[in-house]
Amino acid sequence: MSPAFRTMDVEPRTKGILLEPFVHQVGGHSCVLRFNETTLCKPLIPREHQFYETLPAEMRKFTPQYKAVLIFVRFADEFGASGNLETKEQGVVSVCFEEDEDRNLCLIAYPLKGDHGSVDLVDNSDCEPKSKLLRWTNKKHVLEAEKTPKDWVRQHRKEEKLKSHKLEEEFEWLKKSEVLYYSVEKKGNISSQLKHYNPWSMKCHQQQLQRMKENAKHRNQYKFILLENLTSRYEVPCVLDLKMGTRQHGDDASEEKAANQIRKCQQSTSAVIGVRVCGMQVYQAGTGQLMFMNKYHGRKLSVQGFKEALFQFFHNGRCLRRELLGPVLKKLTELKAVLERQESYRFYSSSLLVIYDGKEWPEVALDSDAEDLEDLSEESADESAGAYAYKPVSASSVDVRMIDFAHTTCRLFGEDSVVHEGQDAGYIFGLQSLIDIVTEISEESGE
């Protein structure tokens, strides 16, 4: 388990942590929720949970951090005096929900049942104030003050009902759009506007809520694991989700499931180059638009189409972000070397995320002091740039991470009937293909 960054001295919380939709989810089918600014939670799958608790140290920089939750337990001594504080660490919380008369659901994270005390996450400094209650439906989410006057609430709900049909129609259209461009207002926070317009995130949340509602009579407690929010340090995250490997089904898949996954691989770029687009979110500064691409479109792409989609991911609407390509290639090469040293691992159906900030860097005057210019690269110092040049993106500003390990296996998983030998050749083949294509894009754009 990853070590805690810092411990917060807080009073026990009785209401748990209110969860929000995670608006930067572009692929996958499992619902991801926002626990706080730096942390996400997703449904616990035992195999994935085991992977995070046993993964090799050298792989940790290429996966989201598995977060520690501190469980604070206050107890009394034999004389009835209290004061001692005992802590237990875990990376799993229980998520429960309630439904009101308007079918609005509140999702709340608590310590696992049986852990008496309060839950607090390290770095949990940005929790919503207690005066607000997050309520969200399968159409949209709304923040309501706990002490809002009843007449305002009544009027607000009436307005929402009038909008409901229009929202439903819009959402159905969004779900059917494989590639979508949405114009973003120049004013305000671009990232906050994504809360309403990311179609894949909306779809996953709607499906998760529906499943929870259908199971409400039998179950109202779900275990979720806590993971690092990889997009938290970017103002306008551009996210590429790539399904890696030539095989997607796990060893425990049924014949029907395996046949379905094999067919998807054969009909996509997975069989040819070991990688396919599973989702994409790009901010194009040139046009002020957000571009979304889902997995259904990604499956239809040819190898040339895949290359064009990759080019589009690194293009801001005005020019190719060439300064991103070097850092991405460096990280892909490092990851490939790490995976080549892993024995018996198979990352079936795993994805690779590439993330960078769509916000442009401020311009730096070329006649500035040497200290201001020491980070400028040769590309950004192009004479044609005139009196100013863009400060280049450093390697730390581009992230490459492996995610989704529900079907991962290795010899450490003692209950598995199949133990593989050597490297995951299919995943490594996909990485090499990705390295080759990014290199081609870089070389062609430099001509």
Side-chain angles (χ1 to χ4, degrees):
M1 181 178 293
S2 302
F5 290 116
R6 63 185 177 89
T7 302
M8 298 186 67
D9 183 16
V10 297
E11 290 300 313
R13 290 191 175 94
T14 58
K15 293 185 178 181
I17 303 296
L18 299 171
L19 303 177
E20 298 182 23
F22 176 56
V23 299
H24 301 302
Q25 181 177 357
V26 298
H29 61 272
S30 181
C31 177
V32 180
L33 298 167
R34 180 186 181 276
F35 188 93
N36 66 17
E37 181 64 28
T38 61
T39 307
L40 305 176
C41 55
K42 63 178 294 190
L44 183 150
I45 298 173
R47 183 175 295 276
E48 182 171 43
H49 187 210
Q50 185 176 7
F51 170 81
Y52 277 114
E53 292 200 320
T54 62
L55 83 166
E58 62 179 343
M59 283 189 63
R60 288 176 186 162
K61 65 181 290 188
F62 293 107
T63 62
Q65 181 191 27
Y66 177 60
K67 292 277 200 163
V69 173
L70 302 183
I71 305 299
F72 291 79
V73 183
R74 295 193 183 278
F75 59 93
D77 60 23
E78 58 182 316
F79 301 104
S82 62
N84 291 324
L85 184 67
E86 176 185 336
T87 65
K88 298 194 301 180
E89 279 196 3
Q90 63 181 39
V92 181
V93 292
S94 174
V95 174
C96 303
F97 74 96
E98 296 177 2
E99 183 178 8
D100 65 15
E101 67 276 8
D102 291 326
R103 297 171 52 240
N104 296 315
L105 298 179
C106 283
L107 296 180
I108 308 173
Y110 292 99
L112 286 181
K113 194 171 183 179
D115 286 322
H116 303 291
S118 62
V119 59
D120 193 26
L121 182 74
V122 175
D123 255 345
N124 195 18
S125 57
D126 68 328
C127 287
E128 292 288 346
K130 291 183 179 180
S131 62
K132 289 188 175 182
L133 176 65
L134 179 70
R135 294 189 181 278
W136 48 295
T137 68
N138 56 8
K139 300 185 183 69
K140 63 185 298 184
H141 66 275
V142 183
L143 284 174
E144 297 179 352
E146 284 182 344
K147 296 183 179 180
T148 305
K150 290 184 178 180
D151 56 343
W152 186 92
V153 172
R154 193 177 297 110
Q155 177 62 27
H156 175 74
R157 287 178 176 172
K158 183 178 179 181
E159 292 173 357
E160 289 301 309
K161 287 179 179 179
L162 291 174
K163 296 176 184 177
S164 63
H165 292 298
K166 183 178 179 181
L167 287 169
E168 224 168 86
E169 292 174 1
E170 180 181 0
F171 183 63
E172 287 303 316
W173 175 73
L174 287 173
K175 286 196 296 183
K176 294 175 182 177
S177 301
E178 294 182 358
V179 179
L180 174 69
Y181 289 83
Y182 191 91
S183 295
V184 181
E185 295 181 18
K186 294 293 184 181
K187 60 182 179 180
N189 188 317
I190 296 172
S191 184
S192 66
Q193 295 183 54
L194 282 170
K195 290 183 179 181
H196 304 287
Y197 304 122
N198 183 326
W200 195 258
S201 174
M202 291 166 66
K203 178 177 180 177
C204 290
H205 293 147
Q206 185 188 55
Q207 291 175 340
Q208 178 68 24
L209 288 172
Q210 190 61 37
R211 284 194 295 267
M212 294 176 78
K213 280 185 63 178
E214 290 172 355
N215 295 330
K217 293 182 180 179
H218 310 287
R219 184 183 180 195
N220 185 25
Q221 185 179 37
Y222 296 79
K223 290 183 180 179
F224 279 59
I225 59 172
L226 297 168
L227 299 171
E228 174 187 7
N229 178 4
L230 300 172
T231 68
S232 63
R233 62 193 179 97
Y234 301 110
E235 185 165 334
V236 187
C238 294
V239 184
L240 176 65
D241 187 325
L242 299 170
K243 185 72 73 174
M244 301 298 296
T246 54
R247 169 180 161 176
Q248 302 303 323
H249 62 280
D251 293 322
D252 58 345
S254 64
E255 290 186 11
E256 182 181 358
K257 178 73 172 178
N260 187 43
Q261 293 295 340
I262 291 171
R263 177 180 53 80
K264 290 178 183 177
C265 288
Q266 291 175 339
Q267 295 177 352
S268 69
T269 55
S270 293
V272 184
I273 57 175
V275 56
R276 71 173 184 258
V277 173
C278 193
M280 186 191 300
Q281 168 182 297
V282 185
Y283 176 64
Q284 300 185 313
T287 58
Q289 290 182 319
L290 286 164
M291 190 278 282
F292 301 101
M293 181 184 295
N294 68 27
K295 66 180 182 181
Y296 302 112
H297 186 77
R299 289 177 192 167
K300 298 175 183 178
L301 296 175
S302 63
V303 175
Q304 180 59 31
F306 176 88
K307 180 178 176 180
E308 292 171 358
L310 211 59
F311 180 91
Q312 189 173 24
F313 176 69
F314 291 112
H315 201 285
N316 69 359
R318 285 197 292 258
C319 63
L320 183 71
R321 297 282 300 275
R322 294 186 66 246
E323 76 277 11
L324 298 168
L325 302 180
V328 167
L329 283 171
K330 182 174 184 293
K331 289 180 180 289
L332 291 174
T333 303
E334 289 176 356
L335 174 58
K336 180 172 175 283
V338 168
L339 293 188
E340 286 174 339
R341 294 192 290 270
Q342 305 311 312
E343 170 68 28
S344 82
Y345 275 94
R346 295 295 182 272
F347 301 100
Y348 299 134
S349 199
S350 179
S351 287
L352 188 71
L353 291 185
V354 181
I355 311 171
Y356 70 88
D357 201 334
K359 181 181 179 182
E360 293 176 294
W361 288 81
E363 291 180 327
V364 179
L366 292 181
D367 57 355
S368 300
D369 295 336
E371 292 183 1
D372 296 329
L373 296 173
E374 63 181 357
D375 291 331
L376 286 175
S377 66
E378 294 179 1
E379 291 86 356
S380 65
D382 189 340
E383 293 180 357
S384 64
Y388 293 88
Y390 287 107
K391 184 177 179 181
V393 174
S394 66
S396 63
S397 297
V398 182
D399 218 345
V400 174
R401 305 286 188 104
M402 300 173 68
I403 61 167
D404 297 339
F405 304 102
H407 302 286
T408 292
T409 181
C410 77
R411 61 187 175 191
L412 297 176
F413 295 9
E415 73 280 5
D416 288 356
S417 58
V418 180
V419 178
H420 298 272
E421 300 275 339
Q423 310 166 343
D424 187 339
Y427 196 110
I428 293 171
F429 172 61
L431 274 178
Q432 186 58 57
S433 297
L434 195 55
I435 291 170
D436 293 342
I437 292 173
V438 174
T439 300
E440 286 178 22
I441 294 173
S442 179
E443 292 175 349
E444 290 172 3
S445 64
E447 293 177 354

